[in-house]
Amino acid sequence: MPAVRAILHELQHLEPKVASGIEADLTKAGAHRLGADAARARALTLLHRQGLAKPRDPDETAREHAVWFTPHLDFDALTQLHVTLDTGDAVALNAVIEEHAQSLRENSPPGAAPPAGSLRVKALLDLALENSRVSTTLHLWLTYPGCHIEKAAPRFHAA
């Protein structure tokens, strides 16, 4: 039943006659036998393909924008980057990454080009860090007998 509820939730903005046609298509495809998330995804995909997707509020869409990192589950030295952004921005970003990766591939020594995924990562890093400067500040707090650190400004004073 969770799948059916998920499907109905996604169809509630449609006219009853249109919604029943979409329901029939999803039932014929077996979406009602899937888990709730998979059924919802099938319903949304079908709605988008038919131009019937519910218009989203721009503020709601903006709240979904995000960038986050998670550790790779199989390789300790890798981290996964996740980004949720507007589709148009994603298409443009993908095109720029692919173009730069192709340039990196073409400028690699013959027969020594890294795998395509590695080139895309290198391209993304080049583009992201091109006009950036990363600097590190080290704050070292030392305690010596007979000295104390002021709270307002970190300076040493002899007691």
Side-chain angles (χ1 to χ4, degrees):
M1 275 315 224
V4 173
R5 279 195 297 272
I7 291 169
L8 292 175
H9 177 75
E10 294 305 326
L11 303 182
Q12 66 186 358
H13 69 284
L14 299 173
E15 295 293 323
K17 186 175 181 178
V18 175
S20 81
I22 298 291
E23 285 176 40
D25 290 344
L26 290 167
T27 302
K28 189 173 11 174
H32 62 290
R33 290 190 291 268
L34 300 172
D37 290 340
R40 179 177 182 269
R42 286 266 176 98
L44 288 172
T45 300
L46 184 59
L47 289 170
H48 279 284
R49 284 186 184 152
Q50 295 189 10
L52 298 171
K54 175 180 155 186
R56 299 291 182 185
D57 175 29
D59 291 337
E60 181 184 6
T61 302
R63 282 191 297 273
E64 291 295 317
H65 290 172
V67 176
W68 71 99
F69 298 86
T70 57
H72 193 283
L73 297 177
D74 295 324
F75 298 95
D76 291 340
L78 298 178
T79 298
Q80 294 177 317
L81 166 65
H82 306 269
V83 180
T84 302
L85 66 159
D86 292 326
T87 302
D89 293 339
V91 169
L93 180 60
N94 185 58
V96 170
I97 289 171
E98 288 298 325
E99 182 179 327
H100 190 60
Q102 181 63 33
S103 172
L104 292 172
R105 186 177 299 110
E106 291 168 357
N107 291 317
S108 295
S118 293
L119 289 171
R120 287 185 193 102
V121 168
K122 172 83 170 107
L124 175 62
L125 289 173
D126 286 352
L127 295 166
L129 300 175
E130 182 177 297
N131 293 315
S132 299
R133 195 179 97 224
V134 177
S135 60
T136 304
T137 303
L138 173 65
H139 295 275
L140 184 61
W141 299 93
L142 302 173
T143 305
Y144 291 105
C147 295
H148 73 278
I149 299 173
E150 284 184 2
K151 291 183 180 176
R155 294 197 171 110
F156 290 96
H157 296 280

